Amino acid sequence: MYKMSSAIGVVIFLLFVAACEYPGIERAVTAELSAGPAGSIGPGARSKDAASSAKPSGNQASSTQQNGSLEKPLPAGDITIMEKDFFLEPETIVVQPGRITFVITNAGKFTHDFRVKGERIDERSQKIGIGRTQRFPLDLREGEYEISCPLSNHADRGMTGRMIVKRPG
Amino acid sequence: MPIDIPPFGARTVIWLFAQQHLYFAAFVLGAPIFIVISEYLGLRTKDLRYERLARETMKMVAVAYSITAIMGVLFSFVLMGPYQGFTNYLMVRFYPVFFAYGLLILLETILMYTYWHSWDALAHRKGLHIGLGVALNLVGTAMMLLMNAVGSFMLTPPEAPEAATLWELVNNATWTGLNLHRFIANLTFGGFMVALFGAFMFLTAKRDEDRAFYDWMGFIGNFIGVGTMMALPIAGYIYARELFLYDASIATLLMADKLSWFFEMQGILVSLLFLGANYYMWLGIQRIDKGWRFLPYFRATFIVVFVGTVIWITPQNFLPDLTSRAEGANLQALAIPERAAFMGLMMAKGLAVTSIIIMTFVSYLLYRRAINTGRIAWGTIDFKAQYALVFLPAVAVYTMGLMGAVRELARQDYHVYRLVQDTSPYWYIPTLGYTSVVVGVNALVFLVLMVFIFFVSFKLGKEG
């Protein structure tokens, strides 16, 4: 009985010792109560802010090379898409109508999916495992389409984009 | 930071007192709801056990009420020292709310002691006495709504709070969801505490009639606890939806980033609650005449709870957060094999949780059927069932502490999300290991205090 009480006492003592957090980690902020990051806050504005802030800067140049422009849409064929946690790269694609094969790579740490939605079309790829690449062919006419990851609430978190299918000129 | 509190640190000490205040507040707000219902049932059915249940639970509430107030005062005092600027920030914006809260505490105290001490005096005017109990609950709920406004504001403040009216601060994006979730959770908590009390009294009872009564009391407490617990995932979903609509990046933090492993723990804990609840029913059905006929059906329940738990706690990968780099390791090696990847998806987890809830409900239906066809021999239940009634409240207390911590940590390095930064040395999200220890200490302190309440209220200086 005495041994058991002692053991319980030691466990409780160790729990309290493990709960000690003092002195913490000093933070490199001088103001006592500084304001949060600049920019819009509040419902609605938040999700867009959060989604864009999660994306690393510097991928813009590489993206624009492969997603075409309104004046010079990419020819139909293979379109490479990277799915990351939680955004698409590129998020805007301009391409010519025809047989388009999305080459989708899951570069994130969670399973993703790919969806193309527009007038008279709503197609989903198979689920794409971590590090996997999947080819997803579709015949697309001229028009504007929404691309996204339809899994869970990934689209709400920022995994959405736009695809414009149009002829050159 | 003007004042720190070694060796625990200011944040941990505030955490301790805030959590103790919340535990006791959940009990003194949740228990009176079914105390009044129990008193009413006693009046309607003339079953004296309901009256005794109401009265004994109210005796505990009366003692717990003082501890709730003391913990609240301690929480406020320890907060004001280290976090003076932030306390001032909240006081400026919510002064009318705090003032009204103080007045309601006074009113609640008057009602609570009047209700408790007039039990005999109003024995022949039960309607009036029950009316006092209803008023007590209404005031208690109003108090909860006021403090929920401050707590939810800290995580989801409205756009431009400087220009917002007081009502806009109060009625922020997650106030309704938090109110709903806490109201149901308080009932669950109150039910489990009554079950704990019943188990304590059963295990220490010396007379058969007492054992029979406390067996029944434990059953009722557990029934309320488990019954309301089945509604909690729905309330939790509504609350989470409000939170995610407000800011989708919080969803990422909770489900995919730094706090995702906290939800793994939640999965294990809630599964343990359902497993314990079904185990109790499995033991309980054996004290009913011919109850053994229903035992084979419980196998399916236990299998579903087990399989459901496995699916619920299967992560998509074993990385601690989104920014972790698996240096030198293949990411595939840290991910769930592709064939089993579906178990990591929310759809599968939702189905698993729903299956667990449905099968627990089926267990209850079996129990009801057994009661309808046989007589319950109250007081003859296996002693192991009483340990299940100790286990369930202990896990419920721990789960409440852990999920409360998750809600607070969702603010990340802000006191008020994206508005007031935490510039203290405790600005960071603590690890799951550290959080688990603090929650464990909190749960331990609370359970020891509850046993102290049971002991001084019902055992000290009494025979048998």
Side-chain angles (χ1 to χ4, degrees):
Chain A
M1 188 67 189
Y2 175 75
K3 275 185 185 171
M4 191 164 176
S5 305
S6 304
I8 292 171
V10 168
V11 169
I12 291 172
F13 174 74
L14 289 175
L15 265 179
F16 275 85
V17 169
C20 292
E21 196 183 21
Y22 181 80
I25 303 168
E26 279 303 327
R27 191 171 194 189
V29 180
T30 48
E32 174 64 18
L33 289 173
S34 59
S40 57
I41 63 155
R46 283 287 170 76
S47 46
K48 286 176 193 163
D49 277 2
S52 57
S53 66
K55 295 171 192 177
S57 57
N59 59 22
Q60 208 61 33
S62 60
S63 307
T64 45
Q65 283 172 358
Q66 57 171 273
N67 47 354
S69 65
L70 286 173
E71 292 76 31
K72 288 180 79 175
L74 291 170
D78 287 3
I79 299 283
T80 304
I81 301 218
M82 303 292 276
E83 293 200 305
K84 297 186 177 177
D85 306 322
F86 289 89
F87 59 94
L88 300 176
E89 199 179 279
E91 66 177 17
T92 306
I93 302 162
V94 186
V95 66
Q96 294 175 30
R99 181 81 167 169
I100 293 164
T101 301
F102 296 95
V103 183
I104 312 148
T105 299
N106 181 352
K109 291 162 183 166
F110 294 87
T111 300
H112 290 300
D113 201 342
F114 188 72
R115 180 185 194 182
V116 177
K117 189 180 174 192
E119 209 177 319
R120 290 181 301 204
I121 189 167
D122 189 356
E123 296 286 343
R124 289 173 69 146
S125 69
Q126 299 286 313
K127 286 184 183 60
I128 307 163
I130 301 163
R132 303 283 182 202
T133 298
Q134 190 179 120
R135 293 178 69 81
F136 179 47
L138 284 176
D139 289 314
L140 295 176
R141 298 175 181 186
E142 277 188 277
E144 194 163 330
Y145 301 83
E146 184 192 316
I147 54 173
S148 63
C149 170
L151 258 192
S152 189
N153 61 351
H154 293 188
D156 288 341
R157 295 189 206 177
M159 292 189 75
T160 57
R162 197 164 65 112
M163 183 170 65
I164 299 161
V165 179
K166 70 184 290 273
R167 295 186 190 285
Chain B
M1 174 172 269
I3 299 169
D4 205 344
I5 310 171
F8 292 104
R11 171 165 70 173
T12 304
V13 176
I14 291 163
W15 188 347
L16 180 77
F17 287 118
Q19 190 62 67
Q20 292 304 317
H21 177 61
L22 278 166
Y23 281 147
F24 279 101
F27 177 60
V28 301
L29 290 179
I33 295 172
F34 66 82
I35 287 172
V36 173
I37 294 170
S38 186
E39 191 184 3
Y40 173 74
L41 286 174
L43 182 67
R44 282 292 298 270
T45 62
K46 308 292 178 201
D47 185 342
L48 294 176
R49 291 180 302 180
Y50 285 110
E51 178 80 3
R52 186 175 169 189
L53 184 147
R55 218 169 157 151
E56 293 199 356
T57 310
M58 194 59 211
K59 192 173 179 182
M60 287 188 288
V61 168
V63 182
Y65 193 80
S66 312
I67 299 180
T68 312
I70 293 164
M71 290 299 175
V73 169
L74 278 167
F75 164 49
S76 304
F77 285 169
V78 293
L79 178 73
M80 283 178 210
Y83 295 99
Q84 294 165 12
F86 169 61
T87 312
N88 189 45
Y89 177 93
L90 276 187
M91 197 52 80
V92 166
R93 278 151 192 85
F94 284 96
Y95 190 72
V97 169
F98 286 115
F99 190 68
Y101 183 67
L103 290 177
L104 285 177
I105 291 176
L106 179 65
L107 186 58
E108 167 101 343
T109 307
I110 292 168
L111 284 168
M112 201 275 294
Y113 285 113
T114 309
Y115 179 67
W116 170 230
H117 288 290
S118 65
W119 210 293
D120 290 327
L122 295 177
H124 299 293
R125 299 182 68 187
K126 272 289 178 196
L128 179 59
H129 192 252
I130 290 170
L132 273 173
V134 171
L136 170 70
N137 279 303
L138 289 176
V139 173
T141 305
M143 285 169 64
M144 183 192 74
L145 299 186
L146 288 182
M147 282 306 101
N148 283 354
V150 181
S152 55
F153 164 83
M154 286 166 66
L155 181 56
T156 54
E159 195 172 357
E162 301 305 324
T165 62
L166 181 63
W167 173 242
E168 285 166 341
L169 297 181
V170 168
N171 187 28
N172 59 73
T174 54
W175 187 50
T176 310
L178 186 61
N179 287 336
L180 181 68
H181 195 266
R182 274 199 169 157
F183 183 78
I184 298 172
N186 286 350
L187 274 170
T188 309
F189 198 76
F192 279 138
M193 285 307 115
V194 169
L196 178 68
F197 172 71
F200 175 83
M201 296 301 280
F202 182 98
L203 291 169
T204 54
K206 291 190 173 61
R207 295 184 309 175
D208 285 345
E209 57 264 39
D210 281 341
R211 228 171 262 130
F213 172 72
Y214 290 115
D215 182 8
W216 176 82
M217 191 176 188
F219 167 77
I220 296 288
N222 183 60
F223 173 72
I224 293 164
V226 175
T228 51
M229 187 174 76
M230 287 198 274
L232 268 180
I234 300 163
Y237 175 79
I238 293 169
Y239 177 53
R241 188 176 156 74
E242 284 182 354
L243 192 57
F244 294 180
L245 284 174
Y246 177 81
D247 186 339
S249 75
I250 295 178
T252 305
L253 179 82
L254 297 183
M255 294 297 168
D257 203 350
K258 290 189 168 58
L259 295 176
S260 58
W261 283 89
F262 288 64
F263 282 89
E264 288 291 315
M265 283 244 338
Q266 184 210 27
I268 295 168
L269 290 166
V270 178
S271 297
L272 283 174
L273 284 174
F274 280 106
L275 196 63
N278 283 295
Y279 177 65
Y280 176 78
M281 280 192 270
W282 181 72
L283 287 171
I285 211 166
Q286 296 178 49
R287 64 153 138 63
I288 302 172
D289 277 346
K290 298 173 194 164
W292 53 267
R293 288 176 300 154
F294 298 93
L295 289 180
Y297 297 108
F298 276 80
R299 272 188 213 143
T301 302
F302 287 119
I303 290 169
V304 168
V305 173
F306 180 74
V307 173
T309 304
V310 169
I311 295 173
W312 192 352
I313 65 174
T314 301
Q316 290 195 35
N317 64 53
F318 289 93
L319 292 164
D321 58 48
L322 271 183
T323 49
S324 299
R325 293 183 186 282
E327 297 291 357
N330 180 1
L331 189 59
Q332 293 290 330
L334 293 167
I336 291 294
E338 208 152 356
R339 258 181 294 176
F342 72 93
M343 294 204 295
L345 301 177
M346 290 309 288
M347 177 71 85
K349 293 176 193 306
L351 283 172
V353 176
T354 308
S355 307
I356 291 173
I357 292 173
I358 288 172
M359 289 310 283
T360 304
F361 187 66
V362 168
S363 293
Y364 171 70
L365 292 180
L366 289 173
Y367 200 93
R368 290 287 305 173
R369 196 171 170 83
I371 292 171
N372 289 339
T373 55
R375 195 184 62 83
I376 306 178
W378 292 111
T380 60
I381 196 167
D382 194 316
F383 266 54
K384 289 197 284 285
Q386 303 307 312
Y387 295 118
L389 290 186
V390 174
F391 174 79
L392 283 169
V395 176
V397 166
Y398 193 92
T399 308
M400 182 175 162
L402 185 78
M403 298 324 289
V406 166
R407 195 179 62 78
E408 296 295 337
L409 296 176
R411 288 186 277 113
Q412 300 156 64
D413 56 341
Y414 292 97
H415 290 309
V416 179
Y417 187 56
R418 290 206 171 193
L419 288 176
V420 183
Q421 273 190 317
D422 182 354
T423 56
S424 76
Y426 307 105
W427 55 274
Y428 48 88
I429 293 177
T431 61
L432 175 59
Y434 179 78
T435 306
S436 308
V437 167
V438 177
V439 173
V441 169
N442 259 321
L444 197 64
V445 170
F446 173 71
L447 290 170
V448 167
L449 286 172
M450 280 307 286
V451 171
F452 166 75
I453 291 172
F454 300 161
F455 187 72
V456 293
S457 304
F458 296 93
K459 290 286 171 191
L460 199 63
K462 289 178 187 164
E463 287 179 17

